[in-house]
Amino acid sequence: MHEHDVIVVGAGGAGLRAAIAAQEAGADVAIVTKLHPVRSHTGAAEGGINAALRDGDDWTDHAYDTMKGSDYLGDAPAVETLCKDSPKETIQLEHWGMAFSREEDGRVSQRPFGGLSFPRTTYAGAETGHQLLHTMYEQVVKRGVTVYDEWHVMNLAVTDEERPSDRSCHGVVAYDIKTGSVEGFRANDGVILATGGLGQVFDHTTNAVANTGDGVAMAYRAGVPMEDMEFIQFHPTTLPSTGVLISEGVRGEGGILYNDESERFMFEHGYANNDGELASRDVVSRAELTEINEGRGIEDEYVHLDMRHLGEERILDRLENILHLAEDFEGADGLEEPMPVKPGQHYAMGGVETDENGQTCIDGLYAAGECACVSVHGGNRLGGNALPELIVFGRRAGQHAAGDDLGEPQITTGKSDDYEPAEIDSPVPIGAVDPDDGTEPAAADGGAADGDAVLDTAVEAERERVEELLDSEGINHAEVRSEVQETMTANVNVFREEEGLKQALADIRDARERYQDVGVSDPSRTFNTDLIHTMETRNILDIAEALTVGALARNEFRGAHWRKENQIRDDENWLKHTLITWNDGQPELGYKPVILEGEDKTYEPKVRSY
Amino acid sequence: MSTDAPQTTDETSETSTEDAPAEAPSAGDRRRAQKQERAAERAREEAEAEAAAEAAKNTVHLKVFRYDPEVEGKQEPRFDDFHVPYEKGMTVLDALMYARDTYDSSLTFRHSCRQAICGSDALFIDGSQRLGCKTQLSDLDMETPIRVEPLPHADVVKDLVVDMEHFYEQMEAVEPYFQTDDLPDEELEEQRQSRENREKVKMSTRCIWCSACMSSCNIAAGDNEYLGPAAINKAYRFAMDEREGEEMKQKRLEILEQEHGVWRCQTQFSCTNVCPKDIPLTEHIQELKREAVKNNLKFW
Ligand SMILES: Cc1cc2nc3c(=O)[nH]c(=O)nc-3n(C[C@H](O)[C@H](O)[C@H](O)COP(=O)(O)OP(=O)(O)OC[C@H]3O[C@@H](n4cnc5c(N)ncnc54)[C@H](O)[C@@H]3O)c2cc1C
Ligand code: SF4
Ligand code: FES
């Protein structure tokens, strides 16, 4: 058994920042991560970090833009914390040596970004995430923080009191990918989940292969609600074969979208008569899919993004990296031919429910970064707002877990007084296939108060699970995973309607039942990725289901969530957060109000038009 | 089915069932029978997929290195053949993933981002170090089988996975973090850096720790303690950053001048040729040598 004060799960921007903060606050901290830190998907972020740094800009403007962008589903205390702390955190990165782009006067550069009233997106070329990730990893090396890399966290060690808010977390159970051993990691003061995105729930995504939502699924099964899971951002221009992102910059410079009939459909089919290709991400994504669904897609799959008319000189000057991306990942030459693009899953606004200090309703369990929902993005994330979330809330979670006093949070968690229960309308059973088979909940009986005992029990359970998976001769998890991914992309995409959502729930149920027969055919204890992927697929199942339940219930159009049956934002009925609780295998749906009252103003919902 | 691996696995599972004593069928037997049925079905499906791939004609033939220290039949390194249906835009990584998900789930390699930024999948492809995700099949000679091997000059853990510890140790041996005594007093005030200076360090900051350069380097292969091109480049990134100041630069040059530092480099350019991020490694190393000489002259 390993023992530390604070255990951070994940080493992307959020996890690294949390670890640094916990260490500065005096804790003995360790990071447990399934990828070596520099392999984390934070490295893929291109655009930049929003921070109100300059004269003429103010954090209150950033907060206003963010609330509006969230379609009034962001919580004001979280949004204001983000916008107030981002400048300090961004400059902190500079003080750690991050290689930002520079202005003539030597100060860090900022650029305009969609939905922002001031050019406050602070950047390092088109590789901001890479620079941020490496800069923070350097600090972790400098401080000698212990890193257990290539250790896959399988489960949390949480007590099993009836109400999740009475439970406490004492550590994690992890699998050493190199040797196959399953070990307990005792956390005396707290566990911080920073496991990143969940794009692998869909079959076409800008996310990495490792973004399987493990932290969200583990917290969910331990009793923490998943919040606002139905809000998924789809990016309109991703390469069809890999999902690699083609930045908005191409359309910003004048790139044009064409269908199979060479029509400039954004205008010719009236999707956005004013903004055309520059309409917001969700509008363009829906337009592309309509074209494809109506038979005007190319090879029935994608549309064309053409930038040839911009001329070689301008393309080389401003969009050079796009040429490389299209060439390397799609074999297309952007100077000679239009580039194929289609919408792809990009970002999860929802996640593990936390307060402004990163804390969940389970004592000692925290979450930060993309896996968390604090909630700053609400119904829709503005570009450039995820990286500041990593550093602002990563730091807060680290400090709080290490014992720093950050004040009383205003956001409530768990089933607090204003929790509103609701019925789940599903055509099939949901949740555990057999909730009474003794595998739920994860931890020991009788709410064992002794942390070591809780951890030991959890370790035993996971060791058994590994043996079972290695012994069984079942089906390949990849079949189950692709069944889920395909139905999610077909039915829970940018277009959502009741019938399709119900179909998705039925397909997920089917996949869940098939997962009961899954087996790992690689018998090896050495670097068994078959086993790891099989465990990840379980997480994908739980997340896909909760996401679809939330989408089916929310009959309105808000932010990135569109419903055919009610294509308007319905503030009267839906100005509230979705909460889905595992409830030991029999999921429950509920809601809690949005907090629109900020420190000294209330953000009144307005029409979101740009 | 053209791969050896699935055949081997299926054979062992069949033998173990045959060896089972012939008694009245127990629950365990039934389960085993079901398993066997499923295994047979899987084999059928695999054969069908393979046949379809062949029929599609447009297939690519991979020869992939296999090794597992603890699995029978894999302890002796060998090559497995995989035939994967080819589509325009397909990369070596796509083909490996297809082979794994369709033919043999034990095929093991690191990968994550699929976009040349996580640095996980540097491999030895048709005889040179490349990222699997950044290598279009169409850029290789598809007429002959494409050989995919783990990076040379590193210990193989399993199949295409090599032990990265030594590479990480070298990276961490050069104090790979920003150091200065001279930060602005204001929490919200940044250090100034000229555009020229940022441009100067820009390429060096693009390293994704893939270790392709280290694997290609003859010197590193012969001298296990040689820092290697990536670590020297990391040090260059800080030594040339004007924000660290002169004093720090001296210290960094001292680290680089050690016995296994810059002077080992014999300017063979192999690292520069394979770097997927186009970092001019050899040039950086040469520049550091010149700086070191200048520096020594000062103290003469
Ligand atoms: C292509 C792309 C471009 C983007 N551009 C921008 C941008 O310009 N600006 C912006 O603000 N945002 C951008 N985003 C969003 C932003 O980059 C991400 O939301 C953010 O980086 C996520 O960081 P993270 O630390 O939460 O997770 P990640 O960086 O994904 O890290 C997750 C970590 O968790 C670990 N982990 C996961 N599961 C386990 C497990 N079971 N056990 C152990 N460890 C585990 C992994 O090893 C990894 O270290 C972009 C996203 C993408 C995909
Ligand atoms: S210098 Fe280039 S080849 Fe070497 S590790 Fe870095 S990115 Fe890879
Ligand atoms: S998969 Fe990340 S670099 Fe190739």
Side-chain angles (χ1 to χ4, degrees):
Chain A
M1 188 175 86
H2 302 277
E3 185 171 346
H4 298 274
D5 295 339
V6 175
I7 299 280
V8 179
V9 183
L16 295 174
R17 189 66 189 87
I20 295 168
Q23 210 223 22
E24 281 183 346
D28 160 30
V29 50
I31 298 174
V32 186
T33 173
K34 68 179 177 182
L35 305 174
H36 182 278
V38 302
R39 319 271 173 234
S40 306
H41 206 49
T42 291
E46 297 171 8
I49 313 167
N50 295 337
L53 292 173
R54 297 288 173 248
D55 287 347
D57 197 6
D58 196 86
W59 73 263
T60 56
D61 295 336
H62 184 189
Y64 178 85
D65 295 342
T66 303
M67 285 301 284
K68 179 175 161 193
S70 80
D71 228 353
Y72 303 93
L73 203 64
D75 284 322
V79 169
E80 294 191 339
T81 303
L82 175 88
C83 301
K84 252 192 266 181
D85 288 1
S86 178
K88 187 174 73 194
E89 286 300 318
T90 305
I91 295 302
Q92 174 68 79
L93 290 169
E94 199 284 331
H95 287 181
W96 286 336
M98 182 165 156
F100 284 104
S101 295
R102 297 284 164 166
E103 291 306 298
E104 254 341 306
D105 65 1
R107 302 206 295 173
V108 297
S109 294
Q110 298 196 304
R111 59 163 62 118
F113 237 50
L116 298 183
S117 56
F118 191 93
R120 67 171 76 88
T121 309
T122 322
Y123 65 95
E127 52 197 41
T128 313
H130 167 78
Q131 300 290 357
L132 174 144
L133 181 68
H134 283 258
T135 302
M136 278 203 278
Y137 180 57
E138 287 158 17
Q139 291 300 311
V140 162
V141 171
K142 180 176 179 192
R143 286 148 213 264
V145 172
T146 311
V147 179
Y148 300 90
D149 75 291
E150 301 198 315
W151 281 80
H152 174 92
V153 174
M154 307 169 71
N155 211 348
L156 307 171
V158 171
T159 57
D160 72 345
E161 286 84 356
E162 169 105 27
R163 289 165 24 132
S165 48
D166 294 334
R167 297 178 190 166
S168 52
C169 179
H170 300 276
V172 305
V173 185
Y175 176 89
D176 182 357
I177 302 178
K178 272 158 278 188
T179 68
S181 91
V182 174
E183 301 291 337
F185 289 77
R186 180 82 160 86
N188 295 321
D189 297 336
V191 169
I192 302 174
L193 296 170
T195 55
L198 47 79
Q200 289 300 322
V201 167
F202 293 82
D203 72 358
H204 191 75
T205 171
T206 62
N207 282 198
V209 177
N211 288 149
T212 48
D214 301 351
V216 181
M218 287 188 287
Y220 176 56
R221 290 194 295 267
V224 181
M226 285 197 203
E227 181 175 350
D228 292 339
M229 292 299 288
E230 63 271 31
F231 291 96
I232 296 286
Q233 186 170 79
F234 295 89
H235 200 287
T237 54
T238 69
L239 296 174
S241 52
T242 51
V244 166
L245 185 82
I246 296 295
S247 129
E248 241 143 70
V250 177
R251 282 168 293 138
E253 293 292 334
I256 295 175
L257 291 166
Y258 292 108
N259 64 17
D260 196 28
E261 289 156 23
S262 299
E263 292 169 315
R264 189 175 182 181
F265 56 87
M266 289 308 297
F267 289 105
E268 289 184 47
H269 290 268
Y271 298 106
N273 288 325
N274 292 325
D275 293 349
E277 280 82 6
L278 293 174
S280 70
R281 286 178 182 177
D282 52 323
V283 174
V284 181
S285 292
R286 276 192 293 274
E288 290 175 1
L289 266 199
T290 307
E291 291 299 301
I292 294 163
N293 292 343
E294 292 180 357
R296 295 186 297 275
I298 297 144
E299 292 180 13
D300 281 332
E301 201 205 340
Y302 52 86
V303 297
H304 273 150
L305 174 61
D306 198 345
M307 59 178 187
R308 288 173 298 176
H309 58 285
L310 302 177
E312 187 168 337
E313 198 180 320
R314 182 147 158 222
I315 294 174
L316 286 178
D317 183 37
R318 306 197 189 166
L319 300 167
E320 194 196 339
N321 71 323
I322 302 296
L323 286 179
H324 294 309
L325 291 176
E327 170 83 49
D328 293 341
F329 303 111
E330 198 66 44
D333 179 355
L335 288 176
E336 297 291 329
E337 55 191 327
M339 299 173 288
V341 293
K342 71 176 194 183
Q345 190 280 352
H346 185 47
Y347 185 85
M349 271 74 77
V352 181
E353 185 207 42
T354 70
D355 63 26
E356 311 91 291
N357 300 332
Q359 234 194 334
T360 70
C361 64
I362 293 181
D363 191 41
L365 183 61
Y366 296 77
E370 188 169 339
C371 73
C373 182
V374 43
S375 117
V376 288
H377 310 300
N380 183 44
R381 174 181 73 95
L382 293 181
N385 259 356
L387 296 179
E389 178 186 17
L390 307 182
I391 49 184
V392 168
F393 292 100
R395 172 188 172 151
R396 292 178 72 88
Q399 282 183 308
H400 198 272
D404 276 6
D405 182 7
L406 299 178
E408 266 306 297
Q410 290 172 52
I411 295 170
T412 57
T413 56
K415 283 185 193 163
S416 49
D417 296 344
D418 40 19
Y419 180 80
E420 171 202 336
E423 287 294 313
I424 295 178
D425 166 32
S426 171
V428 289
I430 61 163
V433 173
D434 182 4
D436 302 321
D437 70 355
T439 59
E440 316 287 347
D445 318 314
D450 177 1
D452 286 347
V454 175
L455 182 57
D456 285 344
T457 314
V459 169
E460 270 324 304
E462 294 306 317
R463 283 192 180 141
E464 262 170 48
R465 179 154 75 118
V466 167
E467 293 313 315
E468 263 167 37
L469 285 170
L470 288 177
D471 282 349
S472 63
E473 251 284 339
I475 56 168
N476 183 348
H477 86 95
E479 293 173 30
V480 178
R481 189 186 282 206
S482 61
E483 182 179 357
V484 177
Q485 291 173 331
E486 280 162 27
T487 194
M488 292 302 285
T489 294
N491 299 306
V492 200
N493 211 337
V494 292
F495 286 119
R496 295 170 174 182
E497 51 184 289
E498 185 178 336
E499 205 185 324
L501 293 167
K502 288 189 164 163
Q503 180 61 46
L505 283 176
D507 293 342
I508 294 165
R509 188 66 190 175
D510 182 58
R512 232 189 225 293
E513 279 163 11
R514 292 192 337 132
Y515 187 82
Q516 299 285 94
D517 295 326
V518 87
V520 174
S521 57
D522 186 350
S524 181
R525 308 267 158 185
T526 308
F527 227 95
N528 192 331
T529 51
D530 192 5
L531 175 67
I532 301 296
H533 296 157
T534 303
M535 294 192 284
E536 290 170 348
T537 295
R538 165 70 204 270
N539 297 333
I540 286 176
L541 279 164
D542 288 343
I543 291 173
E545 184 180 82
L547 196 163
T548 310
V549 165
L552 180 60
R554 185 177 288 273
N555 189 17
E556 67 157 348
F557 171 22
R558 181 184 302 273
H561 172 72
W562 182 94
R563 276 295 296 272
K564 187 177 181 196
E565 295 82 5
N566 194 16
Q567 301 177 24
I568 51 156
R569 189 176 82 199
D570 180 355
D571 287 339
E572 202 168 310
N573 295 304
W574 290 103
L575 198 54
K576 57 189 181 186
H577 296 292
T578 305
L579 298 177
I580 299 180
T581 316
W582 178 241
N583 190 29
D584 297 343
Q586 293 165 297
E588 274 180 17
L589 173 66
Y591 294 93
K592 72 172 179 181
V594 179
I595 308 178
L596 296 175
E597 292 80 38
E599 208 173 74
D600 43 34
K601 75 162 163 247
T602 297
Y603 299 84
E604 293 296 343
K606 297 206 181 78
V607 178
R608 190 170 68 105
S609 69
Y610 291 105
Chain B
M1 208 160 45
S2 71
T3 68
D4 298 333
Q7 272 165 8
T8 329
T9 342
D10 287 348
E11 266 159 29
T12 38
S13 70
E14 269 162 36
T15 355
S16 62
T17 335
E18 275 163 22
D19 287 347
E23 279 171 26
S26 67
D29 287 340
R30 272 199 307 279
R31 214 175 45 239
R32 269 189 291 279
Q34 280 169 3
K35 262 189 214 170
Q36 204 180 350
E37 225 170 82
R38 274 199 299 264
E41 193 184 324
R42 211 175 49 230
R44 258 195 314 280
E45 280 169 13
E46 275 167 17
E48 276 165 27
E50 184 78 8
E54 296 280 17
K57 214 167 87 203
N58 210 358
T59 61
V60 45
H61 180 180
L62 303 181
K63 265 193 169 325
V64 185
F65 179 93
R66 305 300 302 273
Y67 164 76
D68 188 318
E70 52 166 309
V71 171
E72 225 175 294
K74 277 182 85 182
Q75 281 149 338
E76 276 305 310
R78 62 159 200 256
F79 281 86
D80 279 353
D81 296 287
F82 296 99
H83 295 273
V84 171
Y86 173 73
E87 280 172 42
K88 183 171 186 273
M90 203 173 205
T91 62
V92 171
L93 177 63
D94 293 332
L96 287 172
M97 288 169 73
Y98 184 95
R100 178 196 64 201
D101 292 345
T102 321
Y103 306 133
D104 181 356
S105 60
S106 72
L107 178 60
T108 304
F109 45 93
R110 288 193 183 95
H111 64 304
S112 187
C113 70
R114 302 165 302 153
Q115 56 184 91
I117 197 69
C118 74
S120 303
D121 63 338
L123 299 166
F124 199 53
I125 300 168
D126 273 356
S128 63
Q129 286 81 0
R130 310 170 195 249
L131 294 180
C133 64
K134 195 175 178 251
T135 305
Q136 286 283 322
L137 288 167
S138 58
D139 288 343
L140 301 170
D141 178 8
M142 289 203 285
E143 298 299 309
T144 57
I146 290 167
R147 280 173 83 89
V148 187
E149 298 166 71
L151 287 179
H153 304 139
D155 293 335
V156 180
V157 176
K158 172 176 171 182
D159 292 354
L160 302 173
V161 174
V162 295
D163 189 343
M164 297 287 288
E165 277 321 306
H166 176 61
F167 176 79
Y168 294 150
E169 275 164 23
Q170 301 307 74
M171 291 303 275
E172 288 171 15
V174 296
E175 304 193 3
Y177 34 80
F178 186 77
Q179 302 181 68
T180 179
D181 301 329
D182 196 21
L183 282 179
D185 297 335
E186 286 287 315
E187 192 178 58
L188 283 178
E189 195 188 328
E190 64 258 58
Q191 307 165 82
R192 302 293 171 109
Q193 181 182 27
S194 70
R195 279 187 169 167
E196 296 68 43
N197 188 246
R198 135 95 189 163
E199 212 37 49
K200 179 157 190 68
V201 297
K202 183 175 87 184
M203 291 311 287
S204 66
T205 63
R206 292 205 169 146
C207 174
I208 56 173
W209 294 44
C210 71
S211 122
C213 52
M214 184 87 142
S215 162
S216 78
C217 176
N218 277 332
I219 314 300
D223 172 6
N224 206 33
E225 286 175 60
Y226 175 44
L227 287 173
I232 296 178
N233 174 69
K234 186 85 181 169
Y236 174 97
R237 178 253 168 281
F238 294 110
M240 296 300 167
D241 192 318
E242 65 189 13
R243 291 174 294 173
E244 279 204 341
E246 265 311 304
E247 211 172 299
M248 213 30 236
K249 187 168 175 177
Q250 307 291 340
K251 187 173 157 202
R252 294 210 178 266
L253 290 172
E254 276 161 35
I255 298 175
L256 289 167
E257 274 217 273
Q258 51 144 309
E259 194 188 340
H260 304 281
V262 286
W263 297 110
R264 286 275 150 150
C265 171
Q266 296 178 3
T267 45
Q268 295 174 348
F269 286 93
S270 63
C271 54
T272 308
N273 293 336
V274 299
C275 176
K277 302 312 269 187
D278 299 327
I279 303 173
L281 294 161
T282 315
E283 241 173 73
H284 287 172
I285 299 173
Q286 289 301 95
E287 199 180 336
L288 287 168
K289 288 181 189 165
R290 286 195 298 273
E291 290 283 325
V293 172
K294 264 201 302 198
N295 201 35
N296 291 343
L297 289 179
K298 264 193 257 170
F299 293 103
W300 245 212

